[in-house]
Amino acid sequence: MEFITYEQEGFVGVVTINRPKALNALNSQVLDELEATFDAIDLDTTRAVVLTGAGEKSFVAGADIGEMSTLTKAEGEAFGKKGNDVFRKIETFPIPVIAAINGFALGGGCEISMSCDIRICSENAVFGQPEAGLGITPGFGGTQRLARLVGAGMAKQMIYTARNIKADEAYRIGLVNAVYPLEELLPAAKKMAAGIAANAPIAVRNCKKAINDGLQVDMDTAIVIEEKLFGDCFETEDQKAGMGNFLEKDKEKKLKVVPFQNK
Ligand code: DAK
C-alpha cells in the first residue's frame, strides 16, 4: 500500500490516509487502497476502527481535483460510484468507525467523515462542501449525509454557499461530537474506540445495525428491526455473563461484560 497505513492496537484498528503531499486528497488509488484495507480488517480481533489523516494540517482535502478535472460524464459517474461504494462500506462496516479529523475535511473529506459512525476533530479542523464553487455537486454522498446529520437548512446553506466552517461551528451544529487540541485528538479517538471495544461486541454491532437500518425506514418498521437485533443478543454468552454479573452483584465485573464473545 502506498497511501494507507493500518495499525492494530489491542482491539482497535487505526486506518491512516497517508498522502500528505496532496493533503490526503482522495484519488482512485487512495480509494482502492482504502477499500482493500477495510476488507482486510480481521473482525474477530478488531472491535472498533479509527480513521484519520497523516500530518498536522489535513484530514482529507477532498476528492483529487487533478484527477477529476478531465473526467467525462461516464467517468465522473464511475468515479462517484467508486467513492460511494467505499464510503458505504465504511458506513455499513460491522463495527464502529470513528473519524479523527485532524485538519481540512473538505468535499470528499467532509463526506468520508460523515460515513463514519462518530466524528471528533482537532481545533484546526475546517469543514466544507466546496463543490458548487468547482462546478459540481457533492458526489460522495454529501447532499444526503450532511442533511441527515445537521438538518436540511444548515446543509443547504453550507452546500449552496460552499462556505467552510471551523471546528467550533462544526461542533455547534452537531457535525462533530467533540473538539480537541491537535495533539490530544488521536489519543482521544483511540480511547473512545477502546471504550467501545470494552463492551459486548455483538451488542455493539447490533446497536450500529439497528441505528443505521432504522434510520432508513418508518418508525414501525424500525422498531421491529430493533426487536429482532435485541432478541439476537439473548443467544450470546455476553448477555448471559453481563446480566449474570449484575445479578451476582459482582462489582468488579458489573460494569464490563466478560468474557467477550466475538461470534
Ligand atoms: N485535490 C488534489 N490536490 C489537492 C487537493 C485536492 N482536493 N487539495 C490540496 N491539494 C494539493 C495542492 O494542489 C498542493 O499540491 P502541490 O501544489 O504542492 O503539488 C498541496 O495539496 C498543498 O495544497 P495547498 O498548497 O493548496 O495548501 P494550502 O494550505 O495553501 O491550502 C486548502 C489548503 C485545503 C485550502 C487548499 O489546498 C484547497 O482549497 N484544496 C482544495 C479543497 C477542495 O476544494 N476540496 C474539495 C474537492 S471537490 C463526484 C465525486 C466526488 C466529488 C464530487 C463529485 N462525482 C464523480 C459525482 C467530490 C468533490 C470534492 O471533494
Side-chain angles (χ1 to χ4, degrees):
M1 295 253 177
E2 185 181 357
F3 295 133
I4 305 288
T5 57
Y6 182 79
E7 289 167 85
Q8 184 88 27
E9 296 183 18
F11 286 121
V12 176
V14 180
V15 176
T16 305
I17 300 172
N18 190 1
R19 195 188 171 211
K21 281 186 185 154
L23 302 185
N24 305 323
L26 304 171
N27 63 12
S28 296
Q29 187 180 339
V30 175
L31 291 172
D32 286 340
E33 291 185 10
L34 205 48
E35 180 165 39
T37 300
F38 273 88
D39 283 343
I41 290 176
D42 182 349
L43 291 170
D44 286 333
T45 57
T46 314
R47 295 179 181 173
V49 173
V50 173
L51 176 68
T52 193
E56 302 193 336
K57 185 172 168 183
S58 183
F59 171 66
V60 171
D64 190 297
I65 298 173
E67 180 172 338
M68 281 192 298
S69 62
T70 55
L71 297 183
T72 62
K73 180 175 186 293
E75 289 166 344
E77 282 179 18
F79 185 66
K81 177 166 169 32
K82 184 190 273 286
N84 278 326
D85 287 351
V86 179
F87 290 16
R88 193 75 182 119
K89 175 162 288 189
I90 294 170
E91 188 167 49
T92 60
F93 204 59
I95 58 177
V97 182
I98 300 167
I101 301 156
N102 56 313
F104 291 114
L106 302 175
C110 187
E111 289 168 305
I112 196 170
S113 80
M114 293 190 292
S115 70
C116 298
D117 294 275
I118 296 165
R119 281 152 298 288
I120 60 176
C121 75
S122 52
E123 289 165 343
N124 65 326
V126 177
F127 296 81
Q129 297 289 160
E131 288 86 348
L134 294 166
I136 54 175
T137 67
F140 289 155
T143 56
Q144 304 310 308
R145 293 193 182 95
L146 189 59
R148 283 165 172 75
L149 273 172
V150 303
M154 189 57 77
K156 286 176 175 175
Q157 184 178 332
M158 281 179 66
I159 290 170
Y160 299 168
T161 65
R163 185 176 69 85
N164 292 343
I165 62 170
K166 293 182 176 167
D168 56 347
E169 193 172 353
Y171 177 67
R172 187 177 61 75
I173 66 173
L175 185 53
V176 297
N177 290 7
V179 183
Y180 295 90
L182 181 60
E183 65 279 8
E184 293 174 21
L185 176 67
L186 200 52
K190 289 177 182 174
K191 189 175 172 197
M192 188 190 291
I196 292 169
N199 286 321
I202 296 173
V204 171
R205 288 184 192 203
N206 284 11
C207 290
K208 173 166 178 170
K209 192 164 170 46
I211 294 169
N212 278 3
D213 292 359
L215 283 172
Q216 308 303 316
V217 296
D218 64 272
M219 184 59 85
D220 287 324
T221 312
I223 288 297
V224 174
I225 289 172
E226 189 189 75
E227 282 167 9
K228 166 94 180 56
L229 289 160
F230 172 74
D232 287 350
C233 293
F234 287 83
E235 290 187 323
T236 66
E237 289 173 20
D238 288 335
Q239 177 272 328
K240 291 173 193 16
M243 293 191 177
N245 293 338
F246 178 84
L247 293 174
E248 285 165 21
K249 303 200 183 304
D250 186 331
K251 290 207 172 102
E252 280 296 298
K253 293 179 180 170
K254 196 162 90 176
L255 293 175
K256 293 291 168 219
V257 179
V258 284
F260 292 114
Q261 171 198 317
N262 208 23
K263 286 230 162 57

